[in-house]
Amino acid sequence: MQSHYFRFGFILIFLLCVRVAYGQPAGELLIYNIKVIDVETGAIQDDAAVRIKALLIEEVGESSALLKKAAKNDQVIDGRGKYLIPGLWDMHVHLEGADLVEDNKALLPIFLAYGITTVRDCASDLGEQVLTWRQEIASGKTEGPTIYTAGRKLEGKNSIWKGDLEIENETELKQMLDLLDTYKVDFVKITENTLAGDLFKKSVQAAHQRGYRVSGHVPIDATIMDLVDAGYTSVEHASYLLRLGSDETSIVRDLNSGRLTRSEAEARYANQFNQERAFKGYQALAAKRVFVCPTLIGGRQLTFLTETDHSKDEMLNYL
């Protein structure tokens, strides 16, 4: 039964988010007369209905059958002409800009307008503000997507990032993790602009030991598996995984011993890529339940930054 429901996640295009639009229903919520696409077969199920209780999907079936089960205090919505689709997640966003607080807040309901009901905020200089929005949205005070956030990310001293938590030893690492504990962040994000591989790995391990999911970048002087063994649960940006197509262990060893410069190490990754070796590396990550957030759209935007014409973007209507 459970596998059947994994084939369908349901959010009405016009409804967007039951929790935001209606709050907690007094009884059950029945949405009927809608179309549902079976994502395994591509078949469209017409005249379908979905019964929701306590914001969880209870049953999917034909409209006539589920309407017979409706009680007097149930909310019943006719979705004629509409499709039911999954509530979408944006798995890598940055709600950021210390001088753009109101702008960021104004964008929160726009996520819902595009059917995005959950976002994963990968840390920013608005860490504390995002945590406040997380609570306000959860309580129904503010309209917006469910937010999972890292608050502020761990980094080395004098990094390029604004508002990060910069460390250069294990004492400062403990202090910053203590701070994130008080924030009750959903996961810990770590980046490598100035954070050396050894302290980076210790940061992963320390955050993992506190029970956090740990994600971020991959420093040039550590291997992906080094981080996984330390407790990494996911990697941000698929570009880092290209390293798995080379002998990452020997490249990192030669870099750390001084036999390779950083530019020479990066050249080896670029020039020695082997697809078969890479596939084995991907399979090793899968076996360890490590996730990857590819962020392909970011790479595409940067690649065509000077060529893309945004003058007719639909988003301008909202901005």
Side-chain angles (χ1 to χ4, degrees):
M1 182 66 72
Q2 187 178 33
S3 62
H4 170 75
Y5 288 118
F6 274 131
R7 292 162 59 185
F8 306 100
F10 300 100
I11 291 294
L12 269 178
I13 290 177
F14 75 86
L15 187 61
L16 293 177
C17 182
V18 171
R19 182 198 47 169
V20 172
Y22 292 93
Q24 176 67 50
E28 296 185 1
L29 173 64
L30 177 65
I31 307 171
Y32 72 99
N33 206 6
I34 44 85
K35 300 176 185 290
V36 171
I37 298 176
D38 185 327
V39 296
E40 292 182 349
T41 67
I44 298 176
Q45 180 181 350
D46 291 306
D47 194 28
V50 175
R51 187 163 56 88
I52 298 171
K53 182 178 182 180
L55 305 183
L56 296 176
I57 296 168
E58 286 283 305
E59 188 176 0
V60 181
E62 294 183 355
S63 292
S64 58
L66 268 63
L67 280 169
K68 292 179 181 179
K69 296 182 179 181
K72 290 183 179 181
N73 64 335
D74 289 346
Q75 286 185 294
V76 180
I77 298 174
D78 186 348
R80 182 181 301 275
K82 305 295 182 181
Y83 283 79
L84 211 58
I85 66 169
L88 304 176
W89 288 47
D90 192 327
M91 293 299 291
H92 189 115
V93 305
H94 293 283
L95 301 169
E96 61 187 350
D99 57 341
L100 297 171
V101 174
E102 291 305 314
D103 302 75
N104 277 278
K105 186 174 183 179
L107 286 173
L108 293 175
I110 306 304
F111 284 103
L112 298 180
Y114 278 89
I116 298 169
T117 58
T118 304
V119 298
R120 183 168 167 267
D121 175 67
C122 293
S124 76
D125 59 343
L126 287 182
E128 293 79 7
Q129 180 62 66
V130 175
L131 289 160
T132 298
W133 288 333
R134 178 185 68 175
Q135 180 58 37
E136 289 178 352
I137 291 170
S139 65
K141 181 179 178 181
T142 297
E143 287 194 1
T146 297
I147 296 175
Y148 290 96
T149 181
R152 294 183 183 267
K153 61 188 170 189
L154 294 178
E155 249 293 0
K157 294 291 184 178
N158 303 312
S159 82
I160 63 172
W161 309 113
K162 294 180 179 179
D164 53 8
L165 303 179
E166 299 185 354
I167 61 174
E168 61 182 356
N169 54 55
E170 292 183 67
T171 298
E172 292 179 347
L173 168 60
K174 180 182 182 304
Q175 292 170 347
M176 295 308 179
L177 287 177
D178 287 345
L179 177 62
L180 292 176
D181 281 347
T182 66
Y183 286 168
K184 294 181 171 57
V185 296
D186 299 297
F187 64 103
V188 171
K189 168 83 176 293
I190 311 175
T191 56
E192 85 306 4
N193 179 241
T194 60
L195 187 58
D198 183 57
L199 187 55
F200 195 109
K201 286 184 285 186
K202 290 179 180 178
S203 300
V204 174
Q205 187 175 36
H208 174 70
Q209 289 174 343
R210 294 189 184 214
Y212 288 110
R213 301 190 65 81
V214 192
S215 189
H217 297 180
V218 181
I220 191 71
D221 52 349
T223 71
I224 294 175
M225 282 304 173
D226 284 340
L227 305 183
V228 171
D229 290 341
Y232 237 25
T233 49
S234 57
V235 176
E236 303 302 316
H237 316 300
S239 54
Y240 288 113
L241 267 67
L242 295 176
R243 299 184 190 184
L244 296 177
S246 306
D247 187 349
E248 190 182 21
T249 300
S250 67
I251 292 175
V252 169
R253 183 184 63 239
D254 289 348
L255 176 68
N256 288 335
S257 67
R259 290 192 291 271
L260 282 179
T261 64
R262 181 188 179 102
S263 61
E264 289 171 337
E266 291 173 342
R268 282 199 187 181
Y269 285 127
N271 299 328
Q272 298 180 1
F273 182 86
N274 177 276
Q275 189 67 73
E276 185 177 353
R277 178 190 286 270
F279 278 141
K280 290 180 180 178
Y282 306 154
Q283 290 167 349
L285 290 182
K288 290 180 176 290
R289 301 279 302 162
V290 177
F291 296 85
V292 179
C293 187
T295 66
L296 297 180
I297 186 64
R300 187 184 190 283
Q301 288 173 329
L302 290 173
T303 300
F304 298 103
L305 190 63
T306 60
E307 303 174 31
T308 305
D309 178 9
H310 291 286
S311 63
K312 297 182 180 179
D313 282 357
E314 182 182 345
M315 177 59 73
L316 291 175
N317 296 324
Y318 293 107
L319 296 180

